[in-house]
Structures are given as structure tokens and as C-alpha cells.
Amino acid sequence: MQKPSIPKGTRDFSSIEMQRRNYIFDTIKKYFRLYGFEQIETPAMENLNTLTGKYGEEGDQLLFKILNSRLHESKNKEQLQNEFKLSLEHARNTDILTERALRYDLTVPFARYVVMHQHELTFPFKRFQIQPVWRADKPQKGRYREFFQCDADIIGSNSLVNEVELINMMDDVYSALGIPTTIKINNRKILSGIAEVINEPGKIVDITVAIDKLDKIGRENVEKELLEKGITPAAIQQLAPIFESTGNNEAKLNTLRSFLSNSEIGKQGIEEIDFLLKSNTSNLTSQTELDITLARGLNYYTGSIIEVKANAGTLSSSITGGGRYDDLTGIFGLKGMSGVGISFGIDRIFDVMNELDLFKDKLKDQATVQLLFLNLGDAEQAHILGLLGQLRKAGISAEIYPDQAKEKKQFEYAQKKKIPYICTIGSEELNSGQYTVKNMESRQQHKGDLNSIIEYFSQRSAD
RNA sequence: GUGGAUGUAGCUCAGUUGGUUAGAGUAUCGGUUUGUGGUACCGAGGGUCGCCGGUUCGAGCCCGGUCUUCCACCCCA
């Protein structure tokens, strides 16, 4: 006998968990539709070359690649061996060994989809997509190797109205779920402007990644890291106003306005942020915060960057992330398609809600069925099967205990499954056609013929 | 990929400086007179102590390796 197990970083979801997860899915879907997004799905696996190069060097390493099938039947084993040897020496992709991979996110497959289906789509195209993605990360708190993303993207529109709408939608979802959140926003153009101003335009990624750690490792260590990355001490010194930037959104914007006064792209980023903050401040329940340390490693972001964190609980990582990408489809041959989107991390949302005990008020214990018939004998069983058909036609969920087990056992089954009503049928009921339905909690009983029973349940469900 | 912790019955955990046939609670199954459950009592089954190796007369306990899960770093939803 072998011990059963599942791959590292994956999980089974039992009934209670599914009820809770579905509650989150349903809530998110409701708002996706309310805001006018239409649903699509794409395959679990993509061609490897669709995915590589879109997520940064780190991201490429985290792809779950699928080994080609039937390697033993290959006619070119010498080449295979050679490629395998090379793969052992350094990170490498080669069609002969692997040409497919599990999707890493939903955005890149979406870009691929848009290009392939461009003639049947109406732009701006608003799609939502809820599917699992896979990352070969080391599992940790809030980090799984298989998890669901819930994406909403608008592609084919440059308008910042889209960002405003996405922020409104995130706020709606989180206030419906009851999670207190902070929506952090930033803009790649500001980061580009900073790199430009300090004369290190080629080091945008290094600079942003280092700045991102400011609150984690402190200014000194950030400066040390920047030095290690080859940024000149003079440039680092110039960054001082950025490191020292504090205060509210308006104060931070002012700091940036003077810092980026000579950078066209930087000024553009400031204007965009300014617009978002002004458009959104009124009716949101979440706090909106300009956070210039917000970088996001994904290669494809070019404008707005958005991230949501829960204000309560112990999970420090983000529960939603997103941003604008000006040219993701360009790689696949469709230029001039700017898009912006967000992704809800439902597995982390689930963890936060569990920790904060937020499901208690949202979901009651759900019984599998309303009514259980005890099974006491062959004749009774046959009779009950007939009754079940009529009850279900009337919309009443009911079942029969499949075995003719001891009554005590059948009662315990109902109790454990929290089935609210029991009906016992024996020879007396068979003859009279009068049945007794018992409420397990109140122990009250209702007696009558089938129509009376149906009537009884109809009234209950109307309450 | 780097560092730290963890692993004993289905589940939650005891297990004394290494010393007989490894325990408890809970869950499961059966019973306490076969037409009305929850509490109570009695009984039963269930563990190659994560896996491999080493030290020892003797290892759940000590040592090495390996895997799992969890936590931090990196990065991310």
C-alpha cells in the first residue's frame, strides 16, 4: 500500500471550504458582471514561448514546464541528450525537451487570446477570467503552487477612466466581503522618471526593486543594494528626497513634482496619479494611498500599478494586484493595444477572511438536503422512492437513507449532516398515506398526506 | 535557490537521563430488548513512531542523510 499524497503546494478543498470559496467567487463575479465584464477561459497550458520573457528572469524560473511526451520514441536521441546536458548547466528552454508550460498568470494568456481573436472582439474589450494558475515557488504562508486568480481587464483603451472603474470595483468587492483594505497605487512612469533624473535610465528595475524594500530593510540597506547593482553613489545621493518622502498623498505628489520637474515621462506619471486620486477620493470605503515604493516585478507594466493589502490579519502580502500594460499584445503582433487589469487572489482572500472569522455572518451551515426518509424495509423503500420524485418536482430537496440500517444510525446521519427534517415511514404510513415530518431541532411534527407535506415545505421556504 | 522549525492511531497530541507487548482524547465500528436522534455506559478495530542508514546489548528518544509541512529571505495573488 502506498501512502496517498498530493504535490507540494497544492490542496484539496472540502465541502465547507468550497462553500466559502464559492461565496467569494460569487461575490467577485457579481461585481465583474455589474461593471460590464464578460467571461472567457483559456487552456491550463500554453506553448512555452508564449509565456517566457514576460515575467522577468525570476518569473521564467517559476514556470511549471511540461516535459514532452514519448521522448523514448524520439528519432533524434543524440540531440535530446545534448540538449538535456545543456539544460543541466544553465536555465534553458528548448522545444525538443519541452514546448508547453502551465499558465503562470491570466494576463499573458489573455493578451495571446486578444491577438488570436481580434476580429471577433469589440474594443475596448472588457473580459473577466477566473481560473487556476501555477507557479513553481516555494510554498509559504499565503503562497501556493496552485491558486486561483480572478482577473478583470480592459484592453483597447488608454483612458484612465478604466483605472478609476477598477478601483471602484475593488472597493465594492472588498466592502461586500467585509475586508478592510488599503488600495496602493503608483505609476511606472514615475519610476522611469526617477531613473531618468538620476541618470540611470537602464536600471529602472533594480532601482524600483530596491526602493520597494524601503520599509522592510531600511534606507541604509537599500542604498547598499543599489551600490551593489552598480548605481553610482552620486545617483544614490540624488534619491534622498524620494527616501525621505512622507506625509499624505498630496505631500508625496509635491515632492515628486519638484523631483521630476525635468522629466517629461515623470510629469506624465504624476498627472495620471493625480487624476486617479482626485476621481476616487469620495465614496470609497478603502483608503487609497500613493506608494512610490510599489514597484511590482512583472515586466509588462508600463503605467498605473495597483496593489491591495488587507488592513487586518497577519497576511502581509497583497491580495489583489494589477496595472497597465501598453504593449503586451505587441509581442504577438498586435500593436497599439493598451490594457489595464487587476487580479484578485482568492486563496489569500480566503485565508484573510478565515483568520478574521468573516464567514460566520455570511454563511450559515448549509444542509445537503431538507428532508431525509428513514429506510425501514423493502416495501417502504419502494414507496419512498415514489414520494421522492414528487417532492423533488415540487422543488423540495430530499433523500432516502440508502441502507436499511438501524434507526439510531439513520438519525445520527441526519444529525451530523444537519438535515433539518426527518420522515419515518412504516406499514402504518404505507396504508394510510398519512406521513409525519419531524423537525430535528424543535422536535415538532407535522402530519398529513403528500400534498400537505409539500404545502408545509413551500411555506417554510417562503419565509 | 538560502536559512530555521516540524513529522508518533483518520484527527489533536502525551511518551521521564535511550530499557519489556508505544498511550490518551476524539473520530470509526459494535453493544446497552428491532417506530423517534443528540447526553451516558461497555467493548472492538486501527501505529514498520515520515523514509533510509549509523551508534548501542537495546533507539519513538542519540547521530547523518533524505522527504513532507510550516516560517523567514527572494519574488509574488
XYZ file of all heavy atoms in Angstrom, chain A residues 321-364:
336
model
N -3.622 42.512 -7.188
C -2.580 43.281 -7.845
C -2.949 43.527 -9.291
O -3.769 42.802 -9.864
N -2.347 44.569 -9.859
C -2.636 44.818 -11.261
C -1.918 46.046 -11.773
O -1.088 46.619 -11.078
N -2.263 46.419 -12.980
C -1.633 47.582 -13.556
C -1.900 47.706 -15.044
O -2.633 46.899 -15.623
N -1.291 48.746 -15.622
C -1.488 48.979 -17.051
C -0.286 48.502 -17.849
O 0.861 48.669 -17.430
C -1.715 50.481 -17.306
C -1.885 50.817 -18.791
C -2.342 52.239 -19.007
N -3.742 52.451 -18.666
C -4.770 52.227 -19.502
N -4.539 51.735 -20.715
N -5.998 52.468 -19.134
N -0.594 47.872 -18.971
C 0.447 47.380 -19.869
C 0.131 47.926 -21.261
O -0.941 47.716 -21.807
C 0.468 45.846 -19.870
C -0.900 45.208 -19.842
C -1.564 44.904 -21.023
C -1.548 44.941 -18.636
C -2.838 44.341 -21.015
C -2.817 44.392 -18.614
C -3.454 44.087 -19.797
O -4.720 43.554 -19.786
N 1.079 48.687 -21.821
C 0.795 49.368 -23.084
C 1.013 48.501 -24.306
O 0.450 48.751 -25.364
C 1.665 50.632 -23.202
C 1.050 51.783 -22.422
O -0.178 51.759 -22.235
O 1.796 52.675 -21.996
N 1.838 47.467 -24.158
C 2.178 46.761 -25.384
C 2.332 45.253 -25.221
O 3.186 44.646 -25.835
C 3.474 47.341 -25.966
C 3.603 47.010 -27.445
O 2.558 46.839 -28.108
O 4.748 46.892 -27.925
N 1.496 44.651 -24.378
C 1.610 43.202 -24.186
C 1.273 42.455 -25.464
O 1.876 41.427 -25.785
C 0.666 42.753 -23.073
C 1.258 42.008 -21.879
C 0.154 41.361 -21.079
C 2.293 40.982 -22.294
N 0.281 42.967 -26.211
C -0.135 42.252 -27.416
C 0.860 42.464 -28.559
O 0.869 41.700 -29.515
C -1.521 42.726 -27.894
O -1.467 44.139 -28.092
C -2.588 42.394 -26.875
N 1.696 43.496 -28.428
C 2.668 43.793 -29.472
C 3.594 42.616 -29.756
O 3.939 42.336 -30.902
N 3.951 41.913 -28.678
C 4.829 40.751 -28.821
C 4.197 39.699 -29.726
O 4.872 38.966 -30.429
C 5.087 40.131 -27.435
C 5.624 41.211 -26.494
C 6.055 38.962 -27.531
C 5.345 40.920 -25.034
N 2.853 39.658 -29.700
C 2.152 38.663 -30.520
C 1.663 39.265 -31.843
O 0.846 38.657 -32.537
C 0.968 38.070 -29.745
C 1.362 37.459 -28.427
C 0.855 37.958 -27.239
C 2.248 36.386 -28.375
C 1.215 37.398 -26.017
C 2.610 35.820 -27.158
C 2.093 36.334 -25.983
N 2.113 40.487 -32.140
C 1.836 41.025 -33.455
C 0.685 42.009 -33.552
O 0.265 42.356 -34.647
N 0.158 42.456 -32.419
C -0.917 43.445 -32.475
C -0.484 44.684 -31.702
O -0.459 44.691 -30.474
C -2.208 42.861 -31.883
C -3.446 43.756 -31.933
C -3.825 44.124 -33.356
C -4.619 43.076 -31.236
N -0.133 45.726 -32.433
C 0.404 46.936 -31.795
C -0.733 47.854 -31.348
O -1.862 47.742 -31.824
C 1.287 47.691 -32.795
C 2.442 46.871 -33.326
C 3.640 46.985 -32.403
C 4.820 46.202 -32.976
N 5.806 45.856 -31.963
N -0.387 48.779 -30.454
C -1.313 49.838 -30.082
C -2.525 49.384 -29.291
O -3.607 49.935 -29.436
N -2.364 48.365 -28.506
C -3.475 47.867 -27.685
C -3.107 48.040 -26.226
O -2.523 47.148 -25.617
C -3.693 46.378 -27.952
C -4.640 46.082 -29.064
S -6.333 46.369 -28.547
C -7.105 46.170 -30.149
N -3.423 49.177 -25.651
C -3.130 49.357 -24.238
C -4.207 48.679 -23.404
O -5.384 48.718 -23.743
C -3.072 50.840 -23.899
O -2.695 51.003 -22.551
N -3.770 48.062 -22.333
C -4.734 47.396 -21.465
C -4.423 47.673 -20.011
O -3.304 48.049 -19.658
N -5.441 47.504 -19.176
C -5.218 47.650 -17.744
C -6.098 46.622 -17.044
O -7.212 46.361 -17.476
C -5.506 49.079 -17.248
C -6.934 49.492 -17.551
C -5.222 49.223 -15.754
N -5.554 46.025 -15.996
C -6.339 44.989 -15.334
C -5.889 44.739 -13.912
O -4.840 45.206 -13.480
N -6.746 44.003 -13.192
C -6.425 43.633 -11.817
C -6.709 42.156 -11.643
O -7.418 41.535 -12.436
C -7.276 44.410 -10.799
C -8.755 44.298 -11.172
C -6.823 45.849 -10.727
C -9.683 44.608 -10.045
N -6.143 41.611 -10.593
C -6.301 40.193 -10.329
C -6.537 39.977 -8.836
O -5.696 40.312 -8.012
C -5.045 39.459 -10.780
O -5.182 38.089 -10.523
N -7.703 39.425 -8.507
C -7.982 39.097 -7.112
C -7.347 37.746 -6.785
O -7.541 36.776 -7.520
C -9.492 38.982 -6.875
C -10.215 40.291 -6.913
C -10.801 40.737 -8.089
C -10.328 41.064 -5.769
C -11.488 41.942 -8.126
C -11.013 42.268 -5.798
C -11.595 42.710 -6.978
N -6.602 37.695 -5.692
C -6.023 36.424 -5.247
C -6.957 35.763 -4.256
O -6.918 36.006 -3.060
N -7.811 34.899 -4.797
C -8.918 34.388 -3.984
C -8.418 33.511 -2.837
O -9.019 33.471 -1.764
C -9.896 33.614 -4.886
C -11.190 33.382 -4.137
C -9.300 32.390 -5.431
C -11.554 32.004 -3.860
N -7.295 32.832 -3.028
C -6.791 31.959 -1.973
C -6.314 32.769 -0.770
O -6.491 32.364 0.374
C -5.660 31.083 -2.521
C -6.148 30.222 -3.673
O -6.252 30.754 -4.802
O -6.473 29.064 -3.434
N -5.715 33.902 -1.039
C -5.288 34.777 0.057
C -6.479 35.480 0.695
O -6.506 35.675 1.909
C -4.283 35.807 -0.463
C -2.943 35.178 -0.754
C -1.959 36.184 -1.289
N -0.655 35.569 -1.458
C 0.381 36.180 -2.001
N 0.267 37.426 -2.410
N 1.534 35.552 -2.126
N -7.450 35.862 -0.138
C -8.666 36.470 0.405
C -9.342 35.485 1.354
O -9.772 35.842 2.451
C -9.628 36.866 -0.743
C -9.003 37.993 -1.573
C -10.982 37.302 -0.193
C -9.774 38.333 -2.839
N -9.378 34.235 0.927
C -9.955 33.166 1.753
C -9.228 33.070 3.096
O -9.854 33.008 4.154
C -9.852 31.835 0.992
C -10.304 30.635 1.766
C -11.626 30.231 1.730
C -9.399 29.895 2.519
C -12.040 29.102 2.442
C -9.804 28.782 3.230
C -11.130 28.387 3.191
N -7.891 33.071 3.056
C -7.102 32.983 4.287
C -7.391 34.158 5.220
O -7.545 33.981 6.425
C -5.600 32.940 3.959
C -5.188 31.588 3.345
O -5.987 30.638 3.412
O -4.072 31.509 2.797
N -7.449 35.357 4.636
C -7.713 36.541 5.451
C -9.094 36.449 6.091
O -9.262 36.668 7.289
C -7.607 37.825 4.598
C -8.140 39.025 5.367
C -6.163 38.072 4.177
N -10.095 36.074 5.291
C -11.462 36.014 5.811
C -11.592 34.945 6.886
O -12.309 35.117 7.862
C -12.452 35.751 4.672
C -12.589 36.937 3.732
S -13.854 36.704 2.480
C -15.362 36.824 3.463
N -10.889 33.834 6.689
C -10.901 32.779 7.695
C -10.306 33.275 9.006
O -10.868 33.066 10.074
C -10.075 31.591 7.191
C -10.937 30.358 6.968
O -12.128 30.362 7.280
N -10.347 29.330 6.434
N -9.169 33.939 8.886
C -8.487 34.415 10.077
C -9.334 35.446 10.821
O -9.375 35.454 12.045
C -7.126 35.010 9.691
C -6.264 35.351 10.892
C -4.993 36.078 10.494
O -4.649 36.084 9.288
O -4.348 36.638 11.391
N -9.999 36.305 10.058
C -10.808 37.352 10.682
C -12.212 36.856 11.027
O -13.034 37.621 11.518
C -10.908 38.563 9.746
C -9.584 39.224 9.361
C -9.828 40.398 8.431
C -8.821 39.673 10.600
N -12.439 35.571 10.740
C -13.730 34.954 11.056
C -14.890 35.683 10.372
O -15.929 35.923 10.973
C -13.934 34.937 12.585
C -14.828 33.781 13.007
O -15.079 32.900 12.161
O -15.302 33.777 14.157
N -14.702 36.038 9.120
C -15.709 36.830 8.407
C -16.807 35.979 7.768
O -17.816 36.502 7.322
C -15.042 37.675 7.310
C -14.080 38.751 7.806
C -13.491 39.521 6.634
C -14.800 39.713 8.746
N -16.589 34.665 7.719
C -17.606 33.826 7.075
C -18.783 33.578 8.005
O -19.867 33.243 7.558
C -17.009 32.479 6.660
C -16.023 32.587 5.539
C -14.683 32.348 5.742
C -16.459 32.929 4.260
C -13.783 32.447 4.705
C -15.551 33.028 3.212
C -14.209 32.785 3.437
N -18.543 33.750 9.295
C -19.550 33.439 10.302
C -20.878 34.125 9.975
O -21.931 33.508 10.038
C -19.034 33.882 11.667
C -19.732 33.240 12.830
C -19.018 33.580 14.121
C -18.871 35.085 14.289
N -18.085 35.435 15.492
N -20.781 35.414 9.634
C -22.010 36.170 9.376
C -22.526 35.959 7.961
O -23.696 36.177 7.680
C -21.759 37.659 9.594
C -21.059 37.910 10.919
O -21.381 37.190 11.879
O -20.207 38.811 10.972
N -21.634 35.555 7.064
C -22.013 35.480 5.653
C -22.661 34.140 5.299
O -23.520 34.074 4.439
C -20.779 35.664 4.767
C -19.868 36.778 5.188
C -20.223 38.053 4.486
C -19.273 39.164 4.898
N -19.809 40.478 4.597
N -22.184 33.087 5.929
C -22.637 31.755 5.528
C -23.130 30.973 6.730
O -22.434 30.841 7.724
C -21.480 30.984 4.880
C -20.997 31.469 3.522
C -19.740 30.741 3.133
C -22.066 31.246 2.477
N -24.337 30.442 6.604
C -24.814 29.552 7.645
C -24.427 28.138 7.242
O -24.128 27.874 6.084
C -26.337 29.660 7.778
C -26.761 31.017 8.301
C -28.265 31.191 8.166
C -28.640 32.658 8.384
N -29.874 33.024 7.681
